[in-house]
Amino acid sequence: MDKLLTYQFNLSSIWGIIGYVLLVTFVTWVLSRIIRAVIVQIIKRRKTDRFGKTSILFLRNSVKFFLGLFGIVYIIMTVPAFRSKATLIFSGAGILAAIIGFAAQAALSNLIAGAFIVIFRPFRVGDYIRLDDTRMGIVEDITLRHTVINNFENKRLIIPNSVISTDSVLNHTIEDSHVLSFNNFKLGIKANIDLARKIIQEEAIKLPTVIDFRTPEQIIADKEQVDVRVIDIHQDHIHMRAYVWLNEPFQEFKTKCALKEAVHKRFLAEGVQLPIPFHKVIKV
């Protein structure tokens, strides 16, 4: 193939070199498009789990990079003018090679970190992850350089792989999509705790995302589906917490809001005392 291409172009002239470079670039681009299109079709047709989909997407992102790199190396090695200059540069310019290597260090670390993410699976495409209070969302893509996270405002967080691979990540869906949601409520200091607990439990099980996560033994023992506990008692309020199991972690925030609204309305309707701010006045 090398001889066939070089025979078609006069690589000793500038126009021959330009035509040869354009042809190799076009062939590499077409080949990359074909391979990536095939990978996309595989993703659409095959029922793969999140790990399988993540691996295929990472492979698709790698194809363009490595084929482009192969095209550049191929052009340098087959064009005599480029090959002679490349040999001169890499054989006599050790300092330049060191500078290039230092500059490529960040890119290489991102590439290796991306490969480790795909291999060891701390998170996958489609997982709901949280790095901190401001960086959270659904993993949308894992490229050679960075990980793309779609937050709940439909904005994309672009995080380098070398950064996210060394950070602590809270993964809500890595093994089990069920989540235990903590829902806090404040009651007046003289409120009827038993009535408040009953209202919270009744309103919680009405929500469509709330599930019964009790074991058969707990059901036989008639254990409540939603556990509501008194966490603490302060001077001006009672702190209660409901432990609610959900089948969809992406709906946790909406479920919390719906439960708080429903419980507050029931508290008002049934006369459950709400907390009154306590102010201590000091006379000077």
Side-chain angles (χ1 to χ4, degrees), residues 9-11 13-26:
F9 296 92
N10 182 9
L11 299 184
S13 67
I14 183 64
W15 294 112
I17 293 175
I18 292 175
Y20 179 75
V21 170
L22 290 176
L23 178 62
V24 173
T25 302
F26 177 74

Side-chain angles (χ1 to χ4, degrees), residues 185-200 202-203 238 240 262-276:
F185 300 92
K186 291 182 179 180
L187 282 64
I189 196 67
K190 295 183 179 180
N192 187 330
I193 294 176
D194 294 328
L195 177 59
R197 178 181 289 111
K198 177 175 176 291
I199 291 173
I200 295 171
E202 289 176 352
E203 294 302 323
I238 300 172
M240 298 189 73
V263 168
H264 182 73
K265 290 178 179 178
R266 285 282 303 275
F267 280 178
L268 293 178
E270 301 189 28
V272 176
Q273 186 187 49
L274 297 176
I276 300 174

Side-chain angles (χ1 to χ4, degrees), residues 28-278:
T28 304
W29 177 79
V30 171
L31 187 60
S32 172
R33 296 283 296 182
I34 293 174
I35 295 176
R36 296 178 74 191
V38 170
I39 293 175
V40 170
Q41 292 301 318
I42 292 175
I43 296 175
K44 291 181 178 179
R45 293 180 181 180
R46 292 183 58 187
K47 293 182 178 180
T48 57
D49 58 8
R50 285 178 180 166
F51 172 55
K53 184 178 180 181
T54 301
S55 302
I56 294 174
L57 287 175
F58 187 78
L59 176 62
R60 187 198 67 178
N61 294 329
S62 304
V63 166
K64 184 177 180 180
F65 172 79
F66 286 111
L67 279 180
L69 183 62
F70 172 78
I72 294 173
V73 174
Y74 181 83
I75 290 172
I76 293 174
M77 298 306 296
T78 54
V79 177
F82 295 161
R83 185 170 63 246
S84 61
K85 287 182 174 56
T87 303
L88 178 63
I89 291 173
F90 288 106
S91 62
I95 296 178
L96 179 61
I99 293 174
I100 294 175
F102 180 79
Q105 183 177 1
L108 184 61
S109 64
N110 285 324
L111 175 62
I112 295 174
F116 282 173
I117 290 172
V118 173
I119 294 172
F120 295 107
R121 295 175 283 170
F123 54 84
R124 302 150 299 182
V125 172
D127 277 350
Y128 170 27
I129 66 173
R130 177 196 296 264
L131 280 74
D132 50 43
D133 292 337
T134 59
R135 296 182 297 171
M136 68 184 79
I138 313 301
V139 179
E140 194 170 77
D141 198 4
I142 302 174
T143 70
L144 295 176
R145 180 189 176 276
H146 55 259
T147 296
V148 182
I149 299 175
N150 186 355
N151 69 6
F152 297 107
E153 297 176 339
N154 202 34
K155 300 174 182 177
R156 270 65 178 178
L157 299 172
I158 311 298
I159 304 176
N161 290 331
S162 58
V163 174
I164 198 169
S165 65
T166 57
D167 208 342
S168 298
V169 177
L170 176 62
N171 192 331
H172 292 264
T173 52
I174 187 169
E175 293 293 343
D176 189 352
S177 62
H178 301 125
V179 294
L180 179 60
S181 176
F182 289 3
N183 295 261
N184 297 306
F185 300 92
K186 291 182 179 180
L187 282 64
I189 196 67
K190 295 183 179 180
N192 187 330
I193 294 176
D194 294 328
L195 177 59
R197 178 181 289 111
K198 177 175 176 291
I199 291 173
I200 295 171
Q201 291 171 337
E202 289 176 352
E203 294 302 323
I205 61 177
K206 292 178 183 179
L207 299 175
T209 54
V210 175
I211 60 172
D212 189 348
F213 211 66
R214 294 174 296 176
T215 63
E217 292 78 11
Q218 290 174 331
I219 294 175
I220 294 174
D222 200 24
K223 180 179 174 60
E224 295 291 349
Q225 178 179 337
V226 176
D227 190 13
V228 181
R229 304 174 187 174
V230 174
I231 300 300
D232 205 350
I233 299 177
H234 301 271
Q235 285 185 330
D236 59 342
H237 71 274
I238 300 172
H239 180 192
M240 298 189 73
R241 177 177 295 166
Y243 300 85
V244 183
W245 281 99
L246 308 178
N247 61 358
E248 181 53 74
F250 308 116
Q251 298 295 325
E252 182 180 9
F253 179 74
K254 289 183 178 180
T255 303
K256 281 177 175 285
C257 295
L259 181 59
K260 287 182 182 295
E261 179 180 347
V263 168
H264 182 73
K265 290 178 179 178
R266 285 282 303 275
F267 280 178
L268 293 178
E270 301 189 28
V272 176
Q273 186 187 49
L274 297 176
I276 300 174
F278 178 80

